[in-house]
Amino acid sequence: MPALLYLASQSPRRRELLTQLGVAHELLLADAGEDAEALETVLPGETPDAYVQRVCALKADAALQRRIGRGLPDAPILTSDTTVCLGGDILGKPADADDAARMLAALAGTTHRVLTAVTVVSALGQRHALSISHVTFRAMSEAEIGRYVASGEPFGKAGAYGIQGRAAEFVARIDGSYSGIMGLPLFETATLLREADLRF
């Protein structure tokens, strides 16, 4: 039996969250020849909100071409993209330890936004949603930031932290969607999947 849903994401958190919803899914990942990172280039003057939605839609387009190119059975495709922003600045995945420490120092003692866009492509068309959450970090010492960076957890994560891991101790307040901050807002995702006529 084909999957009820294709997930075009390498994130184990997104897989866990879909499983939590009870949605059967298969991964539809990029081929070695695809330049997935190129999709995440920020355009000049682009706002974080516009950026995250554009990148998510591009990922969906690429995943649809991938499914067709591989001759896979037709089923809805889900893509998601998460961006952390402080003011108008997008904090992507840290390039190295120094970059991670810089981002965390900027976030310490402030409130930032976590934007997660979701796109579902199906025979009924493309549907989009955007989850916006506000996260407040307590003040953090340089030593605390150094220990967290040394744990390796910040790497590969927007804003250099994962809320479901050790960074939870830095979070003083959340206003929004916890699952959205993790990378897949379940309320919005469930709504889009039902609109795509997916039964779960």
Side-chain angles (χ1 to χ4, degrees):
M1 286 288 290
L4 288 176
L5 177 73
Y6 294 112
L7 173 63
S9 171
Q10 297 188 48
S11 165
R13 269 77 52 195
R14 291 187 177 120
R15 295 206 72 178
E16 290 165 14
L17 289 164
L18 276 179
T19 299
Q20 186 178 325
L21 273 185
V23 177
H25 59 279
E26 280 183 11
L27 294 181
L28 181 62
L29 301 181
D31 295 315
E34 288 186 56
D35 187 2
E37 292 297 315
L39 297 180
E40 299 184 4
T41 302
V42 182
L43 300 179
E46 193 169 32
T47 66
D49 304 60
Y51 166 77
V52 72
Q53 293 177 89
R54 179 181 61 81
V55 169
C56 189
L58 286 175
K59 287 181 176 181
D61 291 340
L64 178 60
Q65 294 309 310
R66 199 178 302 142
R67 181 190 67 73
I68 294 168
R70 293 176 188 174
L72 297 171
D74 189 9
I77 298 167
L78 184 146
T79 60
S80 186
D81 193 69
T82 300
T83 291
V84 171
C85 60
L86 187 59
D89 295 332
I90 295 171
L91 303 184
K93 297 168 186 172
D96 53 30
D98 288 343
D99 196 28
R102 178 190 62 78
M103 289 186 197
L104 291 163
L107 294 175
T110 69
T111 299
H112 61 274
R113 293 193 306 152
V114 180
L115 312 174
T116 297
V118 183
T119 297
V120 173
V121 184
S122 72
L124 299 176
Q126 237 186 54
R127 288 174 164 76
H128 310 277
L130 177 64
S131 167
I132 302 175
S133 300
H134 294 82
V135 181
T136 302
F137 272 18
R138 66 167 172 80
M140 296 150 63
S141 70
E142 193 174 322
E144 284 179 312
I145 291 172
R147 281 194 296 273
Y148 182 59
V149 172
S151 76
E153 192 174 282
F155 302 105
K157 296 180 176 68
Y161 77 93
I163 198 165
Q164 72 282 358
R166 292 177 57 171
E169 69 158 307
F170 306 136
V171 178
R173 178 182 171 82
I174 291 172
D175 179 14
S177 167
Y178 183 81
S179 59
I181 299 165
M182 281 181 68
L184 190 68
L186 292 184
F187 174 80
E188 290 85 350
T189 298
T191 300
L192 292 181
L193 292 178
R194 289 194 176 99
E195 288 175 355
D197 210 21
L198 194 73
R199 310 290 180 205
F200 57 94

